[in-house]
Amino acid sequence: MRWMILLICLLTLQHTMAQHKTLFLAAGQSNAVGMGDSTASVQCTALEYRYSGDALVPLKDPVGYNELQFQKANSGSAWPAFAKAYHELTGNEAVIVPAARGGSSCHYKAELSNYGTWDNRGRLPLFDSAVIKARAAARKTGLPVAGILWSQGERDANAVNAQQLSAAEYEQQLTLLIGQFRAALGNEVNFYIIQTGYYLNHPAQGFDVIRKAQENVAGKMKHVFVVYRETGSFEKKAWMKDEIHYNQTALNDIGAAVAKQVVLKEKKKP
């Protein structure tokens, strides 16, 4: 009888702890990995899930781990700022599952060498690895994936500029990818898009095409949102680390602003 009471208490404690945490998958390409400066990142109360060792570790930059084809931040990311703002707004502790790879494409036609793609076709598909890691994190925490934080599109924009990819093909593939994530992680999991910025000193046309396609997908799919649109102004703000990567000031702003939008969308969700 005593062991039954102990088991019930342990299960209740696990459930109570889970209620105060929220699980997010952070995916995409290099600006999702984070190419900022860890010394200018923020301190937060949050956790990161590492597939290697099946471990929950304190979330701090450089976020991520070189595993399952995904990469560690070099050296600051948006995710501590996201977690800090999310905790301040909700009281809940974010658990981040980093699953991003620099240079990865959404559509296989945009894939470069061994940089990877989120398409089912290609030389290095990444989707299955992201699902494996997200499901392992869900088992570890006892939580469903509440949302996918998505920062990707630069590689596909370059492919549009090179006439290797059309706007319709990108939009179709992003729509398909979201559907696949939902089939794997939950039919109504929220998908949060950080709108693609620009590649300085390169044609803006391809990037405008991708930005518009992201808006189109969010406009036609339930629980898909563009939650950050200010990337297009980063050059004027001097928030670029180099021609295509965001500096830590930008990443901190992205994280905090996205957290506010995520909380708003969560409150409105039936």
Side-chain angles (χ1 to χ4, degrees):
M1 186 67 180
R2 290 179 63 186
W3 69 267
M4 289 182 65
I5 295 172
L6 179 61
L7 178 61
I8 291 170
C9 290
L10 288 172
L11 290 173
T12 302
L13 177 62
Q14 182 183 33
H15 178 68
T16 301
M17 290 176 65
Q19 283 183 315
H20 293 84
K21 292 180 172 61
T22 312
L23 185 64
F24 295 98
L25 177 68
Q29 61 178 114
S30 56
N31 282 315
V33 174
M35 301 294 285
D37 179 359
S38 61
T39 66
S41 185
V42 304
Q43 302 297 312
C44 65
T45 301
L47 296 169
E48 172 191 337
Y49 175 75
R50 289 188 181 172
Y51 184 78
S52 301
D54 189 30
L56 292 170
V57 300
L59 182 75
K60 61 181 180 179
D61 273 321
V63 168
Y65 196 69
N66 294 325
E67 59 184 3
L68 296 174
Q69 310 299 336
F70 301 124
Q71 296 170 327
K72 182 179 182 179
N74 184 25
S75 64
S77 72
W79 311 126
F82 170 85
K84 181 176 186 292
Y86 187 80
H87 179 69
E88 289 172 347
L89 291 165
T90 66
N92 288 353
E93 189 176 29
V95 181
I96 303 294
V97 184
R101 182 176 177 86
S104 58
S105 69
C106 185
H107 196 288
Y108 82 96
K109 286 186 178 181
E111 185 182 16
L112 278 179
S113 185
N114 65 341
Y115 285 79
T117 182
W118 292 91
D119 204 329
N120 293 324
R121 297 166 286 181
R123 291 178 289 276
L124 183 62
L126 300 172
F127 173 79
D128 287 346
S129 292
V131 169
I132 287 168
K133 190 171 184 180
R135 285 176 172 171
R139 288 193 298 270
K140 181 72 174 179
T141 60
L143 298 167
V145 175
I148 298 169
L149 310 172
W150 181 254
S151 179
Q152 195 282 333
E154 294 91 344
R155 173 81 288 276
D156 298 82
N158 284 332
V160 171
N161 279 335
Q163 299 184 340
Q164 298 169 341
L165 182 68
S166 71
E169 287 173 323
Y170 171 82
E171 188 171 324
Q172 182 181 37
Q173 173 54 28
L174 180 59
T175 302
L176 176 63
L177 177 65
I178 295 169
Q180 289 177 319
F181 268 125
R182 287 177 168 170
L185 302 177
N187 288 332
E188 293 191 349
V189 63
N190 282 1
F191 194 91
Y192 303 107
I193 298 172
I194 298 164
Q195 198 169 44
T196 301
Y198 290 97
Y199 195 172
L200 307 187
N201 303 313
H202 287 71
Q205 181 183 0
F207 294 84
D208 287 332
V209 163
I210 297 304
R211 288 166 65 88
K212 175 62 175 173
Q214 290 169 341
E215 294 281 4
N216 291 345
V217 172
K220 70 183 181 183
M221 293 189 76
K222 192 176 181 181
H223 305 313
V224 178
F225 311 99
V226 177
V227 290
Y228 195 91
R229 294 179 170 88
E230 303 307 311
T231 50
S233 67
F234 283 0
E235 180 182 13
K236 292 181 179 178
K237 293 179 178 179
W239 283 8
M240 299 295 291
K241 177 180 179 178
D242 52 37
E243 288 188 330
I244 199 162
H245 297 117
Y246 311 147
N247 69 17
Q248 193 60 47
T249 301
L251 293 168
N252 290 345
D253 189 73
I254 289 171
V258 169
K260 291 176 184 177
Q261 289 299 310
V262 166
V263 172
L264 287 174
K265 305 307 181 189
E266 287 177 341
K267 288 180 178 178
K268 291 180 180 180
K269 193 171 183 178

